[in-house]
């Protein structure tokens, strides 16, 4: 397929695909999905070999969020029966992190619900970071605390944070459909604050909220322009009790196409399969390791993941290896120079070059999108987390 050969060549050169090419990846048929995975896999292996980075989530504060993000089980008005608790103490968070590190994780992601941290909250998280690094000197720590105010990113960096996560989630054009209590521009501003403070920026998306192919391409191009080192790809977990509980729009093949598109647009970034992989990729998870070089180990913020032992076995059985603590995740040009999600030499990075495909009716390289059968609602795979942080039960790691 000429399209895939072109995309592989561009990916090896860190050259931005056209929007039409990115849309065409999403429009490929299920019959071609293995060819798409094989092509994007060449780009993944070129930049990251066969290494898989493991990350571990610690939910420092769960539920009771004042924001109204429609996808979130912790949102204002959520009726999802999730764990709700206030801030973990630094020693509790450090103990929770230790379980993931013992399982092979090299990065701990400290997350707290809420619009954004107060200065007192930053002090709390700073103490937690220090407690974790006192016990595990070489661990990477990423904070995810919501919208940042001026100076807060710098304080987190001084406390020892290595990275900051704040996802764009969806396209600017549809952002107001999923959240009204803050704006897309607010999110962009926080990613830029993290960058400016010298933190490694981590920003990604959520697929499966009813968005169009154009929306997916828009948000991934916007991410490329923001230059995050890490791009988490979440697949919506339709929690009962949230506005998007009935949105079952994803098939395993669609998830693979989305991951491949992200890899082609951000060839040398750490692409992470985040929440929802067990629900939507299911038995196709090992194939996705050919596209992404990073996953979360064990459970998520409010939902359970597959057993940590099963994650490790999956990686080994698929012919990959867990990235060691002493290995550098990013390619040398990014690790040493912060070069961003692609080469800066290409004009129009994230500039909507190619004009897009409109409604998929216009031919060209996009052709017409296949009509996908409705995805099966697998509510049996959505399990609320009842173990680990905030409970007396052992974590899944």
């Amino acid at each position: 397929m000429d399209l895939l050969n072109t995309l592989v060549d561009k990916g090896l050169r860190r050259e931005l695909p056209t929007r039409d090419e990115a849309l065409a990846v999403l429009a490929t048929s299920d019959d071609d999905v293995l060819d798409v995975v094989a092509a994007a896999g060449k780009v993944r292996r070129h930049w990251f070999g066969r290494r898989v980075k493991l990350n571990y989530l610690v939910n420092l504060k769960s539920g009771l969020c004042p924001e109204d993000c429609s996808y979130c089980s912790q949102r204002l008005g959520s009726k999802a029966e999730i764990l709700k608790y206030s801030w973990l103490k630094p020693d509790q968070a450090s103990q929770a992190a230790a379980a993931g590190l013992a399982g092979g994780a090299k990065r701990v992601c400290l997350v707290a619900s809420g619009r954004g941290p107060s200065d007192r909250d930053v002090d709390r998280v700073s103490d937690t970071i220090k407690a974790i690094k006192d016990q595990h000197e070489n661990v990477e720590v990423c904070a995810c605390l919501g919208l940042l105010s001026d100076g807060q990113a710098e304080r987190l960096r001084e406390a020892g944070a290595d990275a900051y996560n704040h996802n764009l989630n969806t396209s600017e054009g549809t952002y107001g459909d999923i959240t009204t209590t803050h704006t897309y521009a607010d999110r962009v501003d926080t990613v830029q604050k993290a960058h400016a403070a010298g933190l490694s920026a981590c920003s990604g998306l959520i697929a499966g909220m009813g968005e169009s192919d154009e929306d997916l391409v828009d948000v991934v191009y916007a991410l490329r322009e923001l230059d995050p080192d890490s791009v988490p790809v979440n697949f919506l977990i339709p929690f009962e009790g949230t506005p998007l509980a009935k949105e079952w729009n994803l098939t395993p093949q669609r998830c693979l196409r989305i991951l491949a598109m992200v890899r082609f647009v951000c060839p040398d970034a750490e692409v992470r399969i985040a929440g929802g992989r067990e629900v939507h990729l299911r038995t196709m998870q090992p194939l996705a390791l050919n596209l992404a070089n990073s996953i979360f180990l064990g459970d998520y913020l409010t939902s359970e993941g597959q057993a940590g032992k099963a994650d490790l076995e999956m990686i080994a059985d698929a012919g990959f290896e867990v990235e060691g603590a002493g290995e550098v995740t990013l390619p040398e040009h990014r690790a040493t120079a912060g070069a961003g999600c692609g080469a800066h030499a290409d004009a129009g990075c994230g500039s909507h070059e190619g004009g897009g495909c409109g409604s998929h009716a216009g031919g060209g390289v996009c052709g017409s999108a296949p009509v996908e059968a409705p995805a099966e609602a697998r509510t049996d795979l959505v399990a609320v987390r009842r173990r680990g942080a905030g409970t007396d039960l052992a974590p899944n790691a």
Side-chain angles (χ1 to χ4, degrees):
M1 190 184 293
D2 289 343
L3 168 69
L4 296 178
N5 290 333
T6 297
L7 288 169
V8 170
D9 289 343
K10 288 187 173 184
L12 300 184
R13 298 195 304 266
R14 296 186 292 139
E15 182 181 337
L16 182 69
T18 67
R19 283 179 54 81
D20 282 357
E21 289 166 343
L23 285 162
V25 172
L26 297 178
T28 52
S29 71
D30 287 353
D31 289 342
D32 293 325
V33 73
L34 289 180
D35 293 332
V36 173
V37 170
K42 292 178 182 178
V43 179
R44 180 254 200 263
R45 289 191 300 276
H46 176 81
W47 295 112
F48 298 97
R50 303 195 71 81
R51 294 174 286 117
V52 178
K53 180 177 181 177
L54 298 182
N55 309 268
Y56 191 69
L57 284 165
V58 177
N59 198 358
L60 297 178
K61 181 168 74 80
S62 183
L64 308 175
C65 182
E67 302 298 287
D68 69 353
C69 307
S70 299
Y71 51 83
C72 186
S73 60
Q74 304 184 75
R75 73 187 296 272
L76 178 70
S78 171
K79 293 180 173 57
E81 297 181 356
I82 61 168
L83 289 170
K84 298 181 178 68
Y85 52 86
S86 191
W87 290 94
L88 297 182
K89 295 178 181 177
D91 61 328
Q92 293 173 314
S94 181
Q95 185 177 1
L101 297 172
K106 63 183 292 184
R107 171 175 286 193
V108 173
C109 302
L110 303 176
V111 188
S113 61
R115 178 179 178 83
S118 67
D119 286 340
R120 184 183 177 193
D121 294 337
V122 173
D123 289 339
R124 283 192 181 102
V125 176
S126 295
D127 290 343
T128 298
I129 293 169
K130 291 170 184 173
I132 292 172
K133 292 213 166 187
D134 282 347
Q135 296 294 319
H136 308 278
E137 183 179 359
N138 295 321
V139 66
E140 296 176 13
V141 176
C142 179
C144 177
L145 311 174
L147 301 173
L148 292 175
S149 301
D150 290 345
Q152 291 183 328
E154 286 79 5
R155 291 176 57 198
L156 290 168
R157 174 75 188 276
E158 290 169 5
D162 300 283
Y164 195 84
N165 166 262
H166 199 61
N167 295 329
L168 296 188
N169 289 330
T170 193
S171 68
E172 182 175 13
T174 59
Y175 194 82
D177 296 337
I178 63 166
T179 305
T180 67
T181 48
H182 61 267
T183 67
Y184 179 90
D186 291 332
R187 287 188 169 265
V188 170
D189 178 66
T190 286
V191 178
Q192 291 172 335
K193 280 184 167 71
H195 249 318
L199 292 167
S200 175
C202 174
S203 188
L205 65 141
I206 304 173
M209 297 189 290
E211 70 282 338
S212 68
D213 284 2
E214 287 82 359
D215 291 322
L216 286 170
V217 171
D218 280 349
V219 68
V220 176
Y221 272 61
L223 287 166
R224 169 150 176 159
E225 190 170 24
L226 279 174
D227 286 346
D229 289 323
S230 304
V231 180
V233 180
N234 295 276
F235 301 110
L236 177 71
I237 301 176
F239 269 98
E240 289 296 328
T242 65
L244 299 184
K246 305 304 180 187
E247 294 288 340
W248 289 87
N249 303 307
L250 298 171
T251 65
Q253 293 82 3
R254 171 111 174 126
C255 293
L256 291 172
R257 286 191 286 269
I258 292 167
L259 286 167
M261 185 270 287
V262 174
R263 174 57 69 197
F264 285 131
V265 176
C266 295
D268 59 335
E270 175 193 340
V271 175
R272 184 182 311 146
I273 316 173
R277 63 180 165 92
E278 298 89 345
V279 177
H280 296 293
L281 279 162
R282 301 192 287 276
T283 58
M284 307 267 288
Q285 288 182 71
L287 267 183
L289 296 176
N290 290 280
L291 307 169
N293 62 294
S294 180
I295 65 170
F296 281 110
L297 176 72
D299 292 335
Y300 303 98
L301 298 176
T302 62
S303 64
E304 290 187 355
Q306 71 182 19
K309 182 174 182 288
D311 286 337
L312 299 176
E313 290 175 348
M314 175 183 73
I315 291 167
D317 289 348
F320 293 88
E321 59 188 29
V322 173
E323 185 173 287
E327 294 181 280
V328 177
T329 300
L330 297 174
E332 185 177 0
H333 64 274
R334 288 182 62 89
T336 58
C341 186
H344 292 284
D346 51 86
C349 182
S351 65
H352 293 189
E353 67 178 61
C357 276
S359 63
H360 285 172
V365 70
C366 286
S368 56
V371 177
E372 298 209 22
E376 179 185 1
R378 291 296 306 272
T379 56
D380 58 305
L381 295 177
V382 180
V384 173
R385 180 174 69 84
R386 301 294 184 199
R387 59 195 175 193
T391 77
D392 295 326
L393 300 178
N396 172 27

